[in-house]
Amino acid sequence: MSFSFEPVAADDFEPMLALRIAALRESLERLGRFDPLRARERLRAGFAPEQMRHIVLDGERIGFLTLRPAAHDGALRVEHLYIRPGCQNRGAGAWALDQAKAQARAAGQELTLAALRQSDANRFYLRHGFAVVEEQEFDIEYRWSPKAVEAQA
């Protein structure tokens, strides 16, 4: 298996929205929060192709990652990391997260992100070295620090 990134273009919005809905639907339904219109509005509000990358497996787009500067603390923020159902558990998410960690490490920055409560993503982020920093009504906030990784080594 060979993973890579491809740039995102403005006309990629609809297929990316469909992928996001498919990836999040089960977790949102568990919380009673699934709403396709809200999903569209949330992705549209944060749609920034220059900060987004398609995750590609052997030439097929199977997910996407959005990585942007955090607004308030100098960290990098993983806004979106979605892998299409049926393509999950093949290492694509771990590969993309490792790429984000490498970028953060090179810049001397930490990574932050949020995951929905009751989502399988929470175990994934904990397994990949993220620490819980805050629990909110629907989300759990995480932080990863390259300094913490170096201290453990």
Side-chain angles (χ1 to χ4, degrees), residues 137-152:
E137 184 178 5
F138 297 110
D139 294 321
I140 299 175
E141 285 287 329
Y142 291 93
R143 182 174 288 271
W144 175 86
S145 171
K147 293 176 185 168
V149 173
E150 291 167 8
Q152 293 173 355

Side-chain angles (χ1 to χ4, degrees), residues 71-93:
H72 60 283
D73 66 0
L76 290 175
R77 179 108 177 140
V78 176
E79 288 287 333
H80 305 287
L81 175 53
Y82 303 116
I83 307 297
R84 182 183 323 127
C87 295
Q88 296 171 355
N89 300 312
R90 295 184 187 177

Side-chain angles (χ1 to χ4, degrees), residues 13 38-48 68 80:
F13 179 82
R38 180 182 156 114
R40 173 179 292 281
E41 290 168 353
R42 291 197 66 182
L43 184 60
R44 178 59 73 197
F47 193 73
R68 63 180 56 166
H80 305 287

Side-chain angles (χ1 to χ4, degrees), residues 57-69:
L57 171 60
D58 297 330
E60 179 187 357
R61 291 177 177 174
I62 62 164
F64 67 93
L65 169 76
T66 302
L67 186 62
R68 63 180 56 166

Side-chain angles (χ1 to χ4, degrees), residues 14 79 98:
E14 290 298 329
E79 288 287 333
D98 285 346

